[in-house]
Amino acid sequence: MTRLSYIDYHTCGEPVRIVASGYPALAGATILDKRRQARERYDHLRRAMMLEPRGHDGMYGVIPVAASHPEAAFGVLFTHNEGYSTMCGHATIALGRYAIEQGLVRATEPVTRFAIEAPCGLLRLACEVADGKVDAVSFESVPAFVEARDLVVPVPGYGDVTTDIAYGGAYYCILPASRFGLDLMQTPVEEIVAAAGALTDQVRASVSITHPTEPDLGFLYGTIVTDEAGPNEDSFNLCVFAERQIDRSPTGSGVTARMALDHAKGLISAGQSRRIRSITGGAFTGKVIGPVDFPAAGAVTVEVGGRGHLSGEGSFVIEADDPLGHGFVLPKRFAEIESS
């Protein structure tokens, strides 16, 4: 029998399930080594925590690990319904609360500052603390940049679709819903998800993405569909990532990528803040801090801020003889059921 303890948070409704105990120690020398080891040796534990019967298609998780970066208080691996992402802003915001409340870092009022190591690199957090309680959390991103501008992609059912691709710790296609002939505010969400997923599939199949420094980071994570708001207005977006998973939050790495893209287009200047809102109405703030020395043209650092909330804690049991103990994805038809 396996037992895994967890603490649950959410950020704008997007879950953050943090493993508290029971996960094997990972021995890789770097954070990316640990990510590969988790994927190759312990993926059954990710499935158990993320998928039914303990999770759901929209679950998201964090596996705390020992950091390899000397400035980091600890390291983290990010998990979802399909695998392991390289960056997660909504989870980073929740981790600010977790680290202080669980005593991983010492609280200092009014602002507690520390760094964590993610697969994409070092993230610097600033947590507002009053009377021992953590409120707003912000983080400085890894270098963010534009990968492609005005890329034309033939998408079945939608024709030629023009999109940009930007990196904010993960790579995203970013485009307004109107490029699909849709309206972000009026079109049923399942139609937007279908369009975004179709674009992601086509770009993954036809476009080679190579990260400037780390080969493991060179893949398209998802598509962010936006409204038509101007740079001085609040903007809504929907992020569809992994295997058509919907982010309930505005997507921290996505806000980072959007801000880098708008800065490259001359729409957002350094020091200018913008509020990005999600399908739950939740909001993150984004601000371009300024240029950064990095082997990608126009790379900048972005600050993203929001609030996380504690939602539960407990432990899971995985019985050795449970055929569904390590999670399952509900099949679309009975013919997909494996014979037993």
Side-chain angles (χ1 to χ4, degrees):
M1 180 183 295
T2 302
R3 188 180 296 273
L4 294 164
S5 297
Y6 65 90
I7 301 176
D8 277 355
Y9 292 82
H10 78 86
T11 311
C12 299
E14 180 70 359
V16 185
R17 175 161 289 164
I18 304 173
V19 181
S21 66
Y23 193 92
L26 299 175
T30 70
I31 193 79
L32 290 174
D33 290 339
K34 291 180 173 69
R35 180 172 175 266
R36 283 190 289 271
Q37 187 180 30
R39 185 175 59 218
E40 293 166 6
R41 296 182 58 183
Y42 301 112
D43 195 54
H44 58 289
L45 298 179
R46 174 196 64 82
R47 290 176 53 86
M49 292 183 291
M50 296 295 98
L51 305 181
E52 295 185 62
R54 301 170 190 85
H56 52 78
D57 277 349
M59 182 53 67
Y60 204 95
V62 175
I63 303 168
V65 298
S68 55
H69 196 292
E71 295 182 47
F74 57 96
V76 290
L77 303 181
F78 299 121
T79 67
H80 48 71
N81 70 6
E82 184 270 336
Y84 304 81
S85 60
T86 56
M87 171 55 191
C88 181
H90 90 272
T92 298
I93 289 168
L95 282 162
R97 279 197 63 178
Y98 166 81
I100 293 171
E101 292 173 350
Q102 297 302 309
L104 277 69
V105 300
R106 186 173 65 87
T108 302
E109 298 188 16
V111 179
T112 302
R113 301 180 186 276
F114 62 96
I116 63 175
E117 185 181 23
C120 62
L122 194 71
L123 307 171
R124 302 184 187 279
L125 283 70
C127 308
E128 297 179 7
V129 183
D131 298 324
K133 181 176 174 56
V134 181
D135 190 17
V137 175
S138 63
F139 66 89
E140 292 185 14
S141 73
V142 296
F145 53 88
V146 177
E147 173 73 11
R149 291 272 299 271
D150 298 324
L151 179 69
V152 179
V153 182
V155 181
Y158 301 94
D160 287 346
V161 175
T162 302
T163 185
D164 301 313
I165 299 176
Y167 179 82
Y171 286 94
Y172 296 96
C173 289
I174 302 174
L175 71 166
S178 58
R179 302 267 179 89
F180 295 111
L182 307 176
D183 183 325
L184 183 70
M185 309 305 287
Q186 300 297 329
T187 301
V189 171
E190 60 266 27
E191 294 183 28
I192 297 171
V193 172
L199 175 60
T200 297
D201 289 346
Q202 287 300 108
V203 173
R204 285 175 176 168
S206 62
V207 178
S208 177
I209 296 176
T210 302
H211 187 271
T213 62
E214 292 289 354
D216 281 10
L217 306 181
F219 63 94
L220 184 69
Y221 188 40
T223 291
I224 296 173
V225 184
T226 75
D227 59 14
E228 304 279 356
N232 295 313
E233 303 173 287
D234 285 4
S235 176
F236 284 86
N237 68 211
L238 184 73
C239 175
V240 182
F241 65 98
E243 292 303 313
R244 288 163 171 75
Q245 187 164 336
I246 299 172
D247 197 333
R248 277 72 172 162
S249 83
T251 311
S253 55
V255 170
T256 300
R258 281 194 67 180
M259 296 298 290
L261 177 62
D262 284 349
H263 182 69
K265 290 181 174 181
L267 301 175
I268 293 286
S269 58
Q272 181 178 348
S273 295
R274 190 180 192 191
R275 195 164 74 145
I276 308 296
R277 300 182 65 189
S278 73
I279 192 170
T280 67
F284 287 171
T285 56
K287 179 175 69 175
V288 175
I289 297 174
V292 62
D293 184 18
F294 190 73
V300 294
T301 300
V302 176
E303 181 185 82
V304 176
R307 294 183 65 196
H309 295 274
L310 179 67
S311 56
E313 57 185 309
S315 62
F316 293 130
V317 170
I318 306 171
E319 294 185 316
D321 61 350
D322 182 354
L324 300 178
H326 292 127
F328 66 91
V329 176
L330 199 67
K332 293 182 174 59
R333 54 187 67 85
F334 274 82
E336 296 176 14
I337 300 174
E338 295 181 1
S339 60
S340 58

